[in-house]
Amino acid sequence: MGKYTIGIDYGTLSGRAVLVDVADGREVASSEFKYPHAVMDEALPSGRKLGVDWALQHPQDYLDVLYHTIPEVLRESGADAEDIVGVGIDFTACTVLPVKKDGTPLCFLPEYQDEPNAYVKLWKHHAAQNKANRINETAEKRGEKWLARYGGKISSEWLFAKIWQILDESPEVYAAMDRFIEAADWIVWQLTGVETRNSCTAGYKALWHKRGGYPPREYFAALDPRLEHVVQEKLGTEILPLGSRAGGLTPEIAEKTGLVPGTAVAVGNVDAHVCVPAVKICGAGKVLAIMGTSTCHMLLSEQEQAVPGICGYVEDGILPGFYGYEAGQSCVGDHFAWFVKNCVPESYVEQAQKEGLDIQVYLQKLAGKQKAGESGLLALDWWNGNRSVLVDVDLTGMMLGMTLQTKPEEMYRALVEATAFGTRTIIENFEKNGVPVDEFYAAGGIAEKSPFMMQIYADIIRKPIRISGSKQGSALGAAIFGAVAAGSEAGGYDSIFEAAEKMGKLKDVVYMPNEDETKTYDLLYAEYTRLHDYFGRGGNNVMKTLKRIKKEHEG
Ligand SMILES: Nc1ncnc2c1ncn2[C@@H]1O[C@H](COP(=O)(O)OP(=O)(O)O)[C@@H](O)[C@H]1O
Ligand SMILES: O=C(CO)[C@@H](O)[C@@H](O)COP(=O)(O)O
C-alpha cells in the first residue's frame, strides 16, 4: 500500500494543499482556499481605517484553509487517511501574531476586534520602518556582531520591528499577549496542540543563532527599556530544527479534517526555504527564485560569508550542513496585479475576454511581440519598497521614457524587465561578495504560469533557468518535510536529502539566454543600475521626501 504526505503552503492570498506519494513525490490531489479576508491594507472588518503601509491578515482564514483543503485532497485522491503518514506546512514570513497562553489570537477576543495591533502582521506590513531604523542604528552603535549576518540592515518586515510597533502604539495589546508567534508556528500549534518554534523563522526573521541564541538583553533594553526581557516574556527560547516532528495531530483537528489522530506534523517552515528540496537542490551554488507575489532568492553555501544587502544567512536555515542565504524582492507579481487593476483600459479587458485569456496572459501575448529596448521604457521595481540589496521600504517605483505613444503592454513589459534587473542585481551582489552562483532555478506561480517572463529573466540574468517540476513547489517542499517528520519506520524518510532526491521534481524545460536580447539588456541594465543607485543610494532623497509628505496627509 502506498504512503502519502500532505503539504500545505500558506501564501499571501490563499492556502494550497497537495497530497503526494512519498515514494516519488507524485502529486495525487491538490486544493486551494482563498483567504476570505485576503490582505487587510485599508481597513479592519469593523471598518476601522488602517494607516499607510499596514498589511494585516485574519487567523481564522488560516484555520479555514485546513478545514477546506485537507478534506478536499482526501476526497479527490481517494487515499485512506491511515496511509497519510505526515503533514508539513509552510507559511509566508515574517507573518506574526499576538496570542494568549492557550494560542487564542488576541483579535478573536471581543475587546480587541477593533484594534489593528491585535491582528496578524503580514510579511509585507511595512508600517514599522521607524522601528527598523532604530534597530539598525542601535545595533551599529553597540557594534552588535549579528548585524553582519543580516546584510548590515534589518528590514521592517522582520519580527522585532513589528513587536516594538505593538508595544509603542498599543501597550495594552503588548501586555495582554502571552506570545508573539510566527503564523507558521501558530498553525502547527493548532494542528498538534504543542507550541513549537522553528529554527528557520527564528533564524531569518528573529535574529536567533544556533549557538549564540538571541541578541543580548542589554541590546533590547537599549532599544526600549520595556523590551529588555522581550525574548523570555513573549517569544520562548526552545527552537526546533527543520524536519523535526512537532507533534501528532490532535483528535479535534483529525475529526474536522478527516485525518487520523497522532499523524506526524513537521515543525513550521517558510514558503521560500521549504521549496529548495522540492527542486532537488541539495548543494551549494544554485539560486532558487520563488517567484509569486514577491520573489525570494535562496542559495546554499558551505562558506560563511557576510553579504551586504541580503535578508540574511542562517546555518542549517534551509538544509542541514549548509549556510542558507536569503535575499529577496518584496514586490514582483504584485506589480503586475497592481498594473492590471489600475492601468489597463477596458478595451484590453474586453479583448482578453473575447480571446478567453487571462488579462496578464493577454498582455504577455502583446508584449511578447516586442524586442528588448523597443519600447524605450525603463522602470524601477520598487512598488513595495526594496528588500535587497537596498533594504529600504520607503523607496517607491518609477517608470522612465513614457511618451504619447506608450502602450499598456509596453509598460507591463517594462515592469517585468525591472523585476528581472532587480534579480540580476541580487545575483551580482552575491557573486561580488564571495558567494558563487553557478545555476539558477525558478519556482512559484510566475515560473509555472509565464514562459514569457522566464525567457526575459534568462535574457537579463544571462543564465539558463531550470523550472520546478511541481506547480506547487512550496507545498511539495512542505510535504517532503512532512515525510521526514514521519520517519522511515512510518513509511517516510530519515533524511531530508534522501527525501529530496526521491520526491523533488524539475521540469525538462530549460530557458536559455538569447544572445541578441542579452546584448541590448546589458545596455538597459547599466541604465537600471544608474537609476537604482541614483534614487536608492548616495543621499538622494526624492522618494523619501514624497513619502514623508504623503504620511503627513495621514491625519
Ligand atoms: N499569467 C501570469 N503571469 C505572470 N504572473 C502572474 C500570472 N497570473 C498571476 N500572476 C501573478 O502571480 C502572483 C501570485 O503568485 P503565487 O505564486 O500564485 O502566489 P504567492 O506568491 O502568494 O504564493 C500575483 O502577484 C500575480 O500578479
Ligand atoms: O519573505 C518571505 C520568506 O522569507 C516570503 O514569505 C514573502 O516574501 C512572501 O512570499 P510570497 O510572495 O507570498 O510567496
PDB file of all heavy atoms in Angstrom, residues 10-13 16 91-95 123 157-158 204-205 270-273 290-296 326 329-330 387, ligand 2:
ATOM      1  N   TYR A  10       0.957  28.166   2.860  1.00  0.00           N
ATOM      2  CA  TYR A  10       0.185  29.366   3.174  1.00  0.00           C
ATOM      3  C   TYR A  10       0.830  30.565   2.483  1.00  0.00           C
ATOM      4  O   TYR A  10       1.869  31.059   2.926  1.00  0.00           O
ATOM      5  CB  TYR A  10       0.150  29.591   4.690  1.00  0.00           C
ATOM      6  CG  TYR A  10      -0.812  28.675   5.424  1.00  0.00           C
ATOM      7  CD1 TYR A  10      -0.408  27.446   5.917  1.00  0.00           C
ATOM      8  CD2 TYR A  10      -2.138  29.055   5.625  1.00  0.00           C
ATOM      9  CE1 TYR A  10      -1.289  26.617   6.598  1.00  0.00           C
ATOM     10  CE2 TYR A  10      -3.038  28.231   6.301  1.00  0.00           C
ATOM     11  CZ  TYR A  10      -2.601  27.021   6.780  1.00  0.00           C
ATOM     12  OH  TYR A  10      -3.478  26.201   7.448  1.00  0.00           O
ATOM     13  N   GLY A  11       0.239  30.990   1.363  1.00  0.00           N
ATOM     14  CA  GLY A  11       0.766  32.119   0.596  1.00  0.00           C
ATOM     15  C   GLY A  11       0.170  33.437   1.070  1.00  0.00           C
ATOM     16  O   GLY A  11      -0.446  33.515   2.137  1.00  0.00           O
ATOM     17  N   THR A  12       0.312  34.473   0.252  1.00  0.00           N
ATOM     18  CA  THR A  12      -0.176  35.794   0.640  1.00  0.00           C
ATOM     19  C   THR A  12      -1.700  35.889   0.548  1.00  0.00           C
ATOM     20  O   THR A  12      -2.344  36.536   1.372  1.00  0.00           O
ATOM     21  CB  THR A  12       0.473  36.866  -0.266  1.00  0.00           C
ATOM     22  OG1 THR A  12       1.884  36.796  -0.076  1.00  0.00           O
ATOM     23  CG2 THR A  12       0.002  38.264   0.073  1.00  0.00           C
ATOM     24  N   LEU A  13      -2.273  35.209  -0.440  1.00  0.00           N
ATOM     25  CA  LEU A  13      -3.720  35.354  -0.636  1.00  0.00           C
ATOM     26  C   LEU A  13      -4.514  34.076  -0.454  1.00  0.00           C
ATOM     27  O   LEU A  13      -5.734  34.104  -0.403  1.00  0.00           O
ATOM     28  CB  LEU A  13      -3.981  35.908  -2.054  1.00  0.00           C
ATOM     29  CG  LEU A  13      -3.512  37.338  -2.274  1.00  0.00           C
ATOM     30  CD1 LEU A  13      -3.594  37.728  -3.732  1.00  0.00           C
ATOM     31  CD2 LEU A  13      -4.341  38.311  -1.430  1.00  0.00           C
ATOM     32  N   ARG A  16      -2.657  26.522  -0.130  1.00  0.00           N
ATOM     33  CA  ARG A  16      -2.756  25.438  -1.113  1.00  0.00           C
ATOM     34  C   ARG A  16      -2.247  24.153  -0.500  1.00  0.00           C
ATOM     35  O   ARG A  16      -1.145  24.136   0.062  1.00  0.00           O
ATOM     36  CB  ARG A  16      -1.869  25.747  -2.339  1.00  0.00           C
ATOM     37  CG  ARG A  16      -2.432  26.753  -3.312  1.00  0.00           C
ATOM     38  CD  ARG A  16      -2.107  28.164  -3.032  1.00  0.00           C
ATOM     39  NE  ARG A  16      -0.708  28.514  -2.905  1.00  0.00           N
ATOM     40  CZ  ARG A  16      -0.219  29.735  -3.099  1.00  0.00           C
ATOM     41  NH1 ARG A  16      -1.019  30.712  -3.443  1.00  0.00           N
ATOM     42  NH2 ARG A  16       1.052  29.984  -2.934  1.00  0.00           N
ATOM     43  N   PHE A  91       4.748  28.737   5.482  1.00  0.00           N
ATOM     44  CA  PHE A  91       3.993  29.986   5.595  1.00  0.00           C
ATOM     45  C   PHE A  91       4.831  31.123   5.024  1.00  0.00           C
ATOM     46  O   PHE A  91       6.062  31.030   4.979  1.00  0.00           O
ATOM     47  CB  PHE A  91       3.748  30.283   7.082  1.00  0.00           C
ATOM     48  CG  PHE A  91       2.318  30.562   7.412  1.00  0.00           C
ATOM     49  CD1 PHE A  91       1.532  29.627   8.058  1.00  0.00           C
ATOM     50  CD2 PHE A  91       1.750  31.775   7.062  1.00  0.00           C
ATOM     51  CE1 PHE A  91       0.202  29.892   8.369  1.00  0.00           C
ATOM     52  CE2 PHE A  91       0.432  32.044   7.363  1.00  0.00           C
ATOM     53  CZ  PHE A  91      -0.348  31.100   8.025  1.00  0.00           C
ATOM     54  N   THR A  92       4.160  32.199   4.635  1.00  0.00           N
ATOM     55  CA  THR A  92       4.902  33.425   4.383  1.00  0.00           C
ATOM     56  C   THR A  92       5.531  33.860   5.710  1.00  0.00           C
ATOM     57  O   THR A  92       5.074  33.467   6.782  1.00  0.00           O
ATOM     58  CB  THR A  92       3.987  34.573   3.892  1.00  0.00           C
ATOM     59  OG1 THR A  92       3.056  34.883   4.930  1.00  0.00           O
ATOM     60  CG2 THR A  92       3.253  34.201   2.612  1.00  0.00           C
ATOM     61  N   ALA A  93       6.558  34.634   5.648  1.00  0.00           N
ATOM     62  CA  ALA A  93       7.222  35.100   6.870  1.00  0.00           C
ATOM     63  C   ALA A  93       7.963  36.398   6.539  1.00  0.00           C
ATOM     64  O   ALA A  93       8.341  36.601   5.388  1.00  0.00           O
ATOM     65  CB  ALA A  93       8.210  34.058   7.375  1.00  0.00           C
ATOM     66  N   CYS A  94       8.083  37.221   7.474  1.00  0.00           N
ATOM     67  CA  CYS A  94       7.712  37.161   8.868  1.00  0.00           C
ATOM     68  C   CYS A  94       6.237  37.603   8.984  1.00  0.00           C
ATOM     69  O   CYS A  94       5.935  38.778   8.835  1.00  0.00           O
ATOM     70  CB  CYS A  94       8.646  38.095   9.613  1.00  0.00           C
ATOM     71  SG  CYS A  94       8.260  38.476  11.298  1.00  0.00           S
ATOM     72  N   THR A  95       5.377  36.630   9.204  1.00  0.00           N
ATOM     73  CA  THR A  95       3.938  36.873   9.346  1.00  0.00           C
ATOM     74  C   THR A  95       3.609  36.447  10.775  1.00  0.00           C
ATOM     75  O   THR A  95       3.674  35.264  11.093  1.00  0.00           O
ATOM     76  CB  THR A  95       3.179  36.051   8.293  1.00  0.00           C
ATOM     77  OG1 THR A  95       3.545  36.549   6.998  1.00  0.00           O
ATOM     78  CG2 THR A  95       1.679  36.141   8.457  1.00  0.00           C
ATOM     79  N   TRP A 123       3.759  39.557   6.299  1.00  0.00           N
ATOM     80  CA  TRP A 123       5.160  39.834   5.958  1.00  0.00           C
ATOM     81  C   TRP A 123       5.337  41.223   5.362  1.00  0.00           C
ATOM     82  O   TRP A 123       6.294  41.919   5.636  1.00  0.00           O
ATOM     83  CB  TRP A 123       5.703  38.749   5.004  1.00  0.00           C
ATOM     84  CG  TRP A 123       4.994  38.677   3.681  1.00  0.00           C
ATOM     85  CD1 TRP A 123       3.872  37.946   3.407  1.00  0.00           C
ATOM     86  CD2 TRP A 123       5.340  39.361   2.465  1.00  0.00           C
ATOM     87  NE1 TRP A 123       3.491  38.145   2.096  1.00  0.00           N
ATOM     88  CE2 TRP A 123       4.382  38.997   1.500  1.00  0.00           C
ATOM     89  CE3 TRP A 123       6.364  40.225   2.105  1.00  0.00           C
ATOM     90  CZ2 TRP A 123       4.417  39.482   0.182  1.00  0.00           C
ATOM     91  CZ3 TRP A 123       6.399  40.713   0.805  1.00  0.00           C
ATOM     92  CH2 TRP A 123       5.429  40.335  -0.130  1.00  0.00           C
ATOM     93  N   GLU A 157      10.169  44.361   7.825  1.00  0.00           N
ATOM     94  CA  GLU A 157       9.313  43.174   7.712  1.00  0.00           C
ATOM     95  C   GLU A 157       9.598  42.165   8.827  1.00  0.00           C
ATOM     96  O   GLU A 157       8.821  41.252   9.058  1.00  0.00           O
ATOM     97  CB  GLU A 157       9.523  42.489   6.353  1.00  0.00           C
ATOM     98  CG  GLU A 157       8.982  43.299   5.189  1.00  0.00           C
ATOM     99  CD  GLU A 157       9.161  42.618   3.834  1.00  0.00           C
ATOM    100  OE1 GLU A 157       9.492  41.423   3.801  1.00  0.00           O
ATOM    101  OE2 GLU A 157       8.972  43.300   2.815  1.00  0.00           O
ATOM    102  N   TRP A 158      10.756  42.301   9.502  1.00  0.00           N
ATOM    103  CA  TRP A 158      11.135  41.245  10.450  1.00  0.00           C
ATOM    104  C   TRP A 158      10.505  41.456  11.833  1.00  0.00           C
ATOM    105  O   TRP A 158       9.903  42.490  12.114  1.00  0.00           O
ATOM    106  CB  TRP A 158      12.647  41.112  10.558  1.00  0.00           C
ATOM    107  CG  TRP A 158      13.429  40.866   9.289  1.00  0.00           C
ATOM    108  CD1 TRP A 158      14.778  41.050   9.159  1.00  0.00           C
ATOM    109  CD2 TRP A 158      12.991  40.377   7.992  1.00  0.00           C
ATOM    110  NE1 TRP A 158      15.175  40.702   7.877  1.00  0.00           N
ATOM    111  CE2 TRP A 158      14.117  40.301   7.150  1.00  0.00           C
ATOM    112  CE3 TRP A 158      11.760  39.999   7.461  1.00  0.00           C
ATOM    113  CZ2 TRP A 158      14.041  39.865   5.824  1.00  0.00           C
ATOM    114  CZ3 TRP A 158      11.676  39.573   6.138  1.00  0.00           C
ATOM    115  CH2 TRP A 158      12.799  39.507   5.351  1.00  0.00           C
ATOM    116  N   TYR A 204      15.971  33.544  10.482  1.00  0.00           N
ATOM    117  CA  TYR A 204      15.948  34.602   9.454  1.00  0.00           C
ATOM    118  C   TYR A 204      15.205  35.847   9.910  1.00  0.00           C
ATOM    119  O   TYR A 204      15.513  36.950   9.465  1.00  0.00           O
ATOM    120  CB  TYR A 204      15.307  34.092   8.158  1.00  0.00           C
ATOM    121  CG  TYR A 204      16.192  33.124   7.407  1.00  0.00           C
ATOM    122  CD1 TYR A 204      16.066  31.759   7.599  1.00  0.00           C
ATOM    123  CD2 TYR A 204      17.174  33.579   6.535  1.00  0.00           C
ATOM    124  CE1 TYR A 204      16.884  30.858   6.935  1.00  0.00           C
ATOM    125  CE2 TYR A 204      18.001  32.694   5.871  1.00  0.00           C
ATOM    126  CZ  TYR A 204      17.858  31.334   6.060  1.00  0.00           C
ATOM    127  OH  TYR A 204      18.674  30.458   5.410  1.00  0.00           O
ATOM    128  N   LYS A 205      14.166  35.655  10.721  1.00  0.00           N
ATOM    129  CA  LYS A 205      13.283  36.794  10.988  1.00  0.00           C
ATOM    130  C   LYS A 205      13.401  37.329  12.409  1.00  0.00           C
ATOM    131  O   LYS A 205      12.886  38.399  12.703  1.00  0.00           O
ATOM    132  CB  LYS A 205      11.817  36.396  10.721  1.00  0.00           C
ATOM    133  CG  LYS A 205      11.577  35.624   9.430  1.00  0.00           C
ATOM    134  CD  LYS A 205      11.915  36.421   8.183  1.00  0.00           C
ATOM    135  CE  LYS A 205      11.726  35.595   6.922  1.00  0.00           C
ATOM    136  NZ  LYS A 205      12.116  36.275   5.704  1.00  0.00           N
ATOM    137  N   VAL A 270       9.259  28.060   6.163  1.00  0.00           N
ATOM    138  CA  VAL A 270       8.917  29.275   5.412  1.00  0.00           C
ATOM    139  C   VAL A 270       8.695  28.903   3.948  1.00  0.00           C
ATOM    140  O   VAL A 270       9.371  28.012   3.410  1.00  0.00           O
ATOM    141  CB  VAL A 270      10.037  30.330   5.554  1.00  0.00           C
ATOM    142  CG1 VAL A 270       9.715  31.583   4.770  1.00  0.00           C
ATOM    143  CG2 VAL A 270      10.238  30.666   7.022  1.00  0.00           C
ATOM    144  N   ASP A 271       7.760  29.593   3.296  1.00  0.00           N
ATOM    145  CA  ASP A 271       7.355  29.217   1.926  1.00  0.00           C
ATOM    146  C   ASP A 271       8.521  29.189   0.937  1.00  0.00           C
ATOM    147  O   ASP A 271       8.546  28.364   0.016  1.00  0.00           O
ATOM    148  CB  ASP A 271       6.234  30.133   1.410  1.00  0.00           C
ATOM    149  CG  ASP A 271       6.570  31.628   1.469  1.00  0.00           C
ATOM    150  OD1 ASP A 271       7.664  31.986   1.939  1.00  0.00           O
ATOM    151  OD2 ASP A 271       5.724  32.421   1.030  1.00  0.00           O
ATOM    152  N   ALA A 272       9.501  30.062   1.146  1.00  0.00           N
ATOM    153  CA  ALA A 272      10.625  30.116   0.209  1.00  0.00           C
ATOM    154  C   ALA A 272      11.634  29.004   0.509  1.00  0.00           C
ATOM    155  O   ALA A 272      12.020  28.231  -0.374  1.00  0.00           O
ATOM    156  CB  ALA A 272      11.303  31.476   0.320  1.00  0.00           C
ATOM    157  N   HIS A 273      12.026  28.911   1.757  1.00  0.00           N
ATOM    158  CA  HIS A 273      13.074  27.972   2.168  1.00  0.00           C
ATOM    159  C   HIS A 273      12.644  26.531   1.931  1.00  0.00           C
ATOM    160  O   HIS A 273      13.443  25.678   1.530  1.00  0.00           O
ATOM    161  CB  HIS A 273      13.397  28.186   3.650  1.00  0.00           C
ATOM    162  CG  HIS A 273      13.714  29.617   3.974  1.00  0.00           C
ATOM    163  ND1 HIS A 273      12.808  30.643   3.782  1.00  0.00           N
ATOM    164  CD2 HIS A 273      14.845  30.190   4.447  1.00  0.00           C
ATOM    165  CE1 HIS A 273      13.367  31.791   4.140  1.00  0.00           C
ATOM    166  NE2 HIS A 273      14.603  31.546   4.542  1.00  0.00           N
ATOM    167  N   ILE A 290      11.858  31.901  -5.831  1.00  0.00           N
ATOM    168  CA  ILE A 290      10.446  31.512  -5.702  1.00  0.00           C
ATOM    169  C   ILE A 290       9.656  32.748  -6.071  1.00  0.00           C
ATOM    170  O   ILE A 290       9.600  33.725  -5.321  1.00  0.00           O
ATOM    171  CB  ILE A 290      10.120  31.021  -4.272  1.00  0.00           C
ATOM    172  CG1 ILE A 290      10.990  29.820  -3.920  1.00  0.00           C
ATOM    173  CG2 ILE A 290       8.662  30.588  -4.170  1.00  0.00           C
ATOM    174  CD1 ILE A 290      12.239  30.145  -3.227  1.00  0.00           C
ATOM    175  N   MET A 291       9.054  32.710  -7.252  1.00  0.00           N
ATOM    176  CA  MET A 291       8.509  33.920  -7.849  1.00  0.00           C
ATOM    177  C   MET A 291       6.988  33.948  -7.799  1.00  0.00           C
ATOM    178  O   MET A 291       6.327  33.159  -8.488  1.00  0.00           O
ATOM    179  CB  MET A 291       8.969  34.000  -9.315  1.00  0.00           C
ATOM    180  CG  MET A 291      10.475  33.994  -9.442  1.00  0.00           C
ATOM    181  SD  MET A 291      11.017  33.975 -11.149  1.00  0.00           S
ATOM    182  CE  MET A 291      10.274  35.454 -11.768  1.00  0.00           C
ATOM    183  N   GLY A 292       6.459  34.806  -6.987  1.00  0.00           N
ATOM    184  CA  GLY A 292       5.000  34.947  -6.899  1.00  0.00           C
ATOM    185  C   GLY A 292       4.690  36.397  -6.611  1.00  0.00           C
ATOM    186  O   GLY A 292       5.154  37.285  -7.314  1.00  0.00           O
ATOM    187  N   THR A 293       3.898  36.630  -5.560  1.00  0.00           N
ATOM    188  CA  THR A 293       3.591  37.987  -5.139  1.00  0.00           C
ATOM    189  C   THR A 293       4.905  38.760  -4.971  1.00  0.00           C
ATOM    190  O   THR A 293       5.068  39.876  -5.439  1.00  0.00           O
ATOM    191  CB  THR A 293       2.837  37.944  -3.790  1.00  0.00           C
ATOM    192  OG1 THR A 293       1.728  37.053  -3.923  1.00  0.00           O
ATOM    193  CG2 THR A 293       2.364  39.307  -3.375  1.00  0.00           C
ATOM    194  N   SER A 294       5.833  38.116  -4.275  1.00  0.00           N
ATOM    195  CA  SER A 294       7.194  38.645  -4.126  1.00  0.00           C
ATOM    196  C   SER A 294       8.129  37.579  -4.679  1.00  0.00           C
ATOM    197  O   SER A 294       7.673  36.521  -5.096  1.00  0.00           O
ATOM    198  CB  SER A 294       7.497  38.885  -2.652  1.00  0.00           C
ATOM    199  OG  SER A 294       7.462  37.648  -1.953  1.00  0.00           O
ATOM    200  N   THR A 295       9.437  37.865  -4.670  1.00  0.00           N
ATOM    201  CA  THR A 295      10.396  36.796  -5.005  1.00  0.00           C
ATOM    202  C   THR A 295      11.403  36.668  -3.875  1.00  0.00           C
ATOM    203  O   THR A 295      11.917  37.668  -3.372  1.00  0.00           O
ATOM    204  CB  THR A 295      11.143  37.104  -6.313  1.00  0.00           C
ATOM    205  OG1 THR A 295      10.221  37.013  -7.401  1.00  0.00           O
ATOM    206  CG2 THR A 295      12.251  36.078  -6.567  1.00  0.00           C
ATOM    207  N   CYS A 296      11.661  35.408  -3.474  1.00  0.00           N
ATOM    208  CA  CYS A 296      12.740  35.146  -2.526  1.00  0.00           C
ATOM    209  C   CYS A 296      13.817  34.393  -3.279  1.00  0.00           C
ATOM    210  O   CYS A 296      13.509  33.516  -4.091  1.00  0.00           O
ATOM    211  CB  CYS A 296      12.243  34.288  -1.371  1.00  0.00           C
ATOM    212  SG  CYS A 296      11.019  35.128  -0.380  1.00  0.00           S
ATOM    213  N   GLU A 326      19.503  34.089   2.097  1.00  0.00           N
ATOM    214  CA  GLU A 326      18.229  34.567   1.547  1.00  0.00           C
ATOM    215  C   GLU A 326      18.363  36.034   1.137  1.00  0.00           C
ATOM    216  O   GLU A 326      18.875  36.851   1.895  1.00  0.00           O
ATOM    217  CB  GLU A 326      17.105  34.451   2.594  1.00  0.00           C
ATOM    218  CG  GLU A 326      15.784  35.026   2.081  1.00  0.00           C
ATOM    219  CD  GLU A 326      14.632  34.970   3.087  1.00  0.00           C
ATOM    220  OE1 GLU A 326      14.857  34.587   4.249  1.00  0.00           O
ATOM    221  OE2 GLU A 326      13.516  35.331   2.695  1.00  0.00           O
ATOM    222  N   GLN A 329      12.950  40.256  -3.267  1.00  0.00           N
ATOM    223  CA  GLN A 329      12.295  41.444  -3.819  1.00  0.00           C
ATOM    224  C   GLN A 329      10.879  41.461  -3.255  1.00  0.00           C
ATOM    225  O   GLN A 329      10.119  40.502  -3.478  1.00  0.00           O
ATOM    226  CB  GLN A 329      12.269  41.360  -5.343  1.00  0.00           C
ATOM    227  CG  GLN A 329      13.649  41.464  -5.974  1.00  0.00           C
ATOM    228  CD  GLN A 329      13.627  41.106  -7.445  1.00  0.00           C
ATOM    229  OE1 GLN A 329      13.764  39.939  -7.812  1.00  0.00           O
ATOM    230  NE2 GLN A 329      13.451  42.098  -8.298  1.00  0.00           N
ATOM    231  N   SER A 330      10.532  42.529  -2.535  1.00  0.00           N
ATOM    232  CA  SER A 330       9.234  42.484  -1.844  1.00  0.00           C
ATOM    233  C   SER A 330       8.060  42.681  -2.784  1.00  0.00           C
ATOM    234  O   SER A 330       6.910  42.594  -2.353  1.00  0.00           O
ATOM    235  CB  SER A 330       9.173  43.487  -0.697  1.00  0.00           C
ATOM    236  OG  SER A 330      10.095  44.504  -0.850  1.00  0.00           O
ATOM    237  N   ARG A 387      13.663  45.296  -0.934  1.00  0.00           N
ATOM    238  CA  ARG A 387      14.130  44.413   0.142  1.00  0.00           C
ATOM    239  C   ARG A 387      15.632  44.165  -0.004  1.00  0.00           C
ATOM    240  O   ARG A 387      16.371  44.278   0.932  1.00  0.00           O
ATOM    241  CB  ARG A 387      13.333  43.106   0.123  1.00  0.00           C
ATOM    242  CG  ARG A 387      13.475  42.339   1.415  1.00  0.00           C
ATOM    243  CD  ARG A 387      12.882  40.943   1.325  1.00  0.00           C
ATOM    244  NE  ARG A 387      11.463  40.903   1.567  1.00  0.00           N
ATOM    245  CZ  ARG A 387      10.733  39.796   1.413  1.00  0.00           C
ATOM    246  NH1 ARG A 387      11.312  38.673   1.001  1.00  0.00           N
ATOM    247  NH2 ARG A 387       9.437  39.798   1.641  1.00  0.00           N
TER     248      ARG A 387
HETATM  249  O1  LIG B   2       9.816  36.723   2.909  1.00  0.00           O
HETATM  250  C1  LIG B   2       9.406  35.615   2.653  1.00  0.00           C
HETATM  251  C2  LIG B   2      10.189  34.461   3.028  1.00  0.00           C
HETATM  252  O2  LIG B   2      11.302  34.791   3.770  1.00  0.00           O
HETATM  253  C3  LIG B   2       8.105  35.332   1.949  1.00  0.00           C
HETATM  254  O3  LIG B   2       7.316  34.616   2.820  1.00  0.00           O
HETATM  255  C4  LIG B   2       7.381  36.571   1.478  1.00  0.00           C
HETATM  256  O4  LIG B   2       8.218  37.230   0.568  1.00  0.00           O
HETATM  257  C5  LIG B   2       6.039  36.232   0.836  1.00  0.00           C
HETATM  258  O5  LIG B   2       6.134  35.295  -0.201  1.00  0.00           O
HETATM  259  P1  LIG B   2       5.032  35.142  -1.388  1.00  0.00           P
HETATM  260  O6  LIG B   2       5.301  36.235  -2.355  1.00  0.00           O
HETATM  261  O7  LIG B   2       3.671  35.217  -0.810  1.00  0.00           O
HETATM  262  O8  LIG B   2       5.343  33.801  -1.994  1.00  0.00           O
END
